[in-house]
Amino acid sequence: MDQPVEILWSRPLCMRSSATTVAATDALVVAERYSRLVRLEPMTGALIWEQRVEDCWGTTAIAQGRCLYLSQQGVLHCFELLSGRLMWSHPGLEFRRYLTISGSVIVLGGWRGYHPVTRIDLATGTSVPFDSPYAPGESLAWPATVRFQVDSDTAVDAVLLASRRRPELRLEDPPTGTTLGTWPLPEPVQFPDSGEAYTHGDDGRVVFVSGRRTVMSFHPSTGVQALWEHDTDLPPVAPVLIDDKLMLAEDSGITVVDLTSGGRTEITPVPPGTACAPVPVANGALFARSHGKVIVIDRGGIRAGARLPTRVERLVPGDGTLAYAIGKGHLTALNVPTIER
């Protein structure tokens, strides 16, 4: 290893919060202590503001100077990110979990098929009428935001939708509900119970697994493309694509595929525990095992790692070299070393 992953700080959440309660870009927000939402300073973990919410098992998202929290009890709160001031609340959204912000619209629902997709206006918190093409009980992957070029002068933030039942991708314009396009797949998109099926590659493509073995990419300008056919079933964990290198997390190891040359590197053995979904970092990807080990993989193999104080359920990318791990009632901030190649 070149150098270790640095543990900056670890914060006890005083409750086993849902792994989706962390949101991090250039800001960091997490739910803790049964009914508290806090914004923390990313480098130190110092408290910036706190707000009361119904529970700590909901979903958090940050966009456009706002922080959204959808509680498990079905109340969607919108806070001003800078001050923590409550801007509006929308109750009555029980059994929804997926929370995606696309332009001026919040897209909710689809989790386990409990409810069809729901749309909320980001500015006012009011419902936006929408006729969902998916039937009640049809489980959807967590919607992903994709930039769609309408014409040479206009681009919009569209939402990528996929059902566990249908072998297709669907791209929709959230403000109008208009279908911008559909693309057939060999098999339906694979996703775990958390619903997270996609990662965004560094070239703008969305990467996912169709069925159990076919790794595919999608971009509105080029459609869908098969990248790799694996020789064994892949776990429901989204792959990572960086610099034309495909990185696959498996419980038995990690596979790195050079899509240009067709070369394949198997990284084994790996630390014990179930594989968590990896996240992109500089020069590679950050992988985690549920028992608390994190490692950074690049085209040459393992180049950095660390043992965390608790189990890991989810990795969240941060700004710059920062990343976060949540699990077993703890949030841990990591500084991932950048290696010039």
Side-chain angles (χ1 to χ4, degrees), residues 16 28 79 86 94 147 163 169 193 216 218 228 240 259 270 272 278 315 317 334 339:
R16 187 167 184 169
L28 174 63
F79 302 102
L86 178 64
E94 293 84 357
R147 195 71 173 166
S163 162
L169 291 179
D193 186 59
M216 305 192 72
F218 167 77
W228 176 257
V240 170
L259 297 178
V270 295
L315 294 172
L334 307 171
I339 307 297

Side-chain angles (χ1 to χ4, degrees), residues 58-97:
T59 307
T60 312
I62 296 172
Q64 303 180 38
R66 303 186 182 207
C67 173
L68 296 169
Y69 184 73
L70 175 62
S71 68
Q72 193 179 70
Q73 293 185 29
V75 182
L76 177 62
H77 300 286
C78 179
F79 302 102
E80 185 180 65
L81 181 60
L82 184 63
S83 66
R85 175 179 63 90
L86 178 64
M87 304 180 73
W88 51 259
S89 294
H90 186 125
L93 299 170
E94 293 84 357
F95 294 108
R96 291 170 175 85
R97 188 183 187 209

